[in-house]
């Protein structure tokens, strides 16, 4: 069965926020990646000013994971304090990921189709018909 976690977006202060959350909840970051870690691509150029920003960070808290990133590049103009979160679904299988993504995107908007990513997840993003942002992922390594 799939699990859900909260994904927060920040306007350049993600690292500061997550350092604070770590001081509150304890633990260690299970992942911290910067935009500079994205492999070079013809389709994506990371502005120099965004390279040190957080692309993805994860902080396990009990049985859940608080995740986040900085908004940058083409996503920065859409950032608004108060709507800067998504619900992240970790599916137990690729079939479940496809099923959930398809159902949630009905009458909504697919922001990034489900596809294999450079970090190893089968991942996609959508906004459902009610304006809620969702991320759907499956990681075969974590589900073995």
């Amino acid at each position: 069965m799939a699990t859900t976690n909260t994904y927060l977006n920040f306007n350049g202060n993600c690292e500061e926020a997550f350092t604070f959350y770590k001081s509150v909840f304890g633990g260690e970051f299970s992942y911290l990646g910067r935009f500079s870690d994205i492999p070079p691509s013809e389709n994506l150029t990371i502005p120099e000013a965004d390279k040190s920003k957080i692309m993805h960070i994860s902080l396990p808290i009990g049985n859940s994971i608080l995740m986040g990133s900085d908004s940058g590049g083409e996503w920065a103009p859409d950032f608004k304090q108060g709507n800067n979160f998504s619900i992240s679904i970790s599916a137990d299988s690729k079939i479940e990921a496809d099923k959930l993504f398809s159902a949630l995107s009905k009458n909504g908007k697919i922001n990034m189709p489900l596809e294999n990513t450079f970090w190893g997840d089968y991942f996609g993003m959508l906004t459902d018909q009610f304006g809620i942002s969702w991320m759907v992922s499956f990681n075969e390594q974590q589900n073995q």
Side-chain angles (χ1 to χ4, degrees), residues 54-144:
I54 302 294
M55 173 197 62
H56 179 76
I57 190 167
S58 299
L59 178 63
I61 302 172
N63 292 328
S64 63
I65 302 172
L66 183 63
M67 298 178 281
S69 68
D70 281 311
S71 294
E74 63 189 68
W75 304 288
D78 294 330
F79 178 87
K80 289 183 180 58
Q81 193 86 21
N83 73 349
N84 53 326
F85 71 95
S86 297
I87 300 170
S88 176
I89 300 173
S90 298
D92 284 339
S93 69
K94 197 171 185 179
I95 292 169
E96 183 181 40
D98 285 331
K99 178 183 170 190
L100 293 170
F101 192 87
S102 177
L104 285 166
S105 63
K106 184 178 180 186
N107 299 321
K109 177 185 174 202
I110 294 174
N111 303 316
M112 177 183 171
L114 276 170
E115 60 188 14
N116 293 318
T117 63
F118 71 88
W119 64 86
D121 284 6
Y122 182 60
F123 177 83
M125 298 186 300
L126 65 101
T127 304
D128 72 18
Q129 62 185 318
F130 303 103
I132 303 299
S133 296
W134 295 85
M135 300 174 168
V136 178
S137 65
F138 168 68
N139 184 300
E140 191 167 356
Q141 300 300 323
Q142 292 176 349
N143 288 294
Q144 289 186 7

Side-chain angles (χ1 to χ4, degrees), residues 8 10 16-26 59 61 66:
L8 305 173
F10 295 87
E16 177 185 0
F18 268 76
T19 299
F20 170 74
Y21 300 144
K22 183 177 164 185
S23 77
V24 171
F25 295 106
L59 178 63
I61 302 172
L66 183 63

Side-chain angles (χ1 to χ4, degrees), residues 7-9 14-15 31-39 44 46 50-58 67-72 75 118-119 135:
Y7 199 103
L8 305 173
N9 293 296
C14 181
E15 188 165 9
Y31 184 84
L32 189 157
R34 301 188 185 278
F35 283 105
S36 61
D37 297 331
I38 296 174
L44 179 65
I46 306 296
D50 290 342
K51 287 186 177 180
S52 65
K53 291 180 180 178
I54 302 294
M55 173 197 62
H56 179 76
I57 190 167
S58 299
M67 298 178 281
S69 68
D70 281 311
S71 294
W75 304 288
F118 71 88
W119 64 86
M135 300 174 168

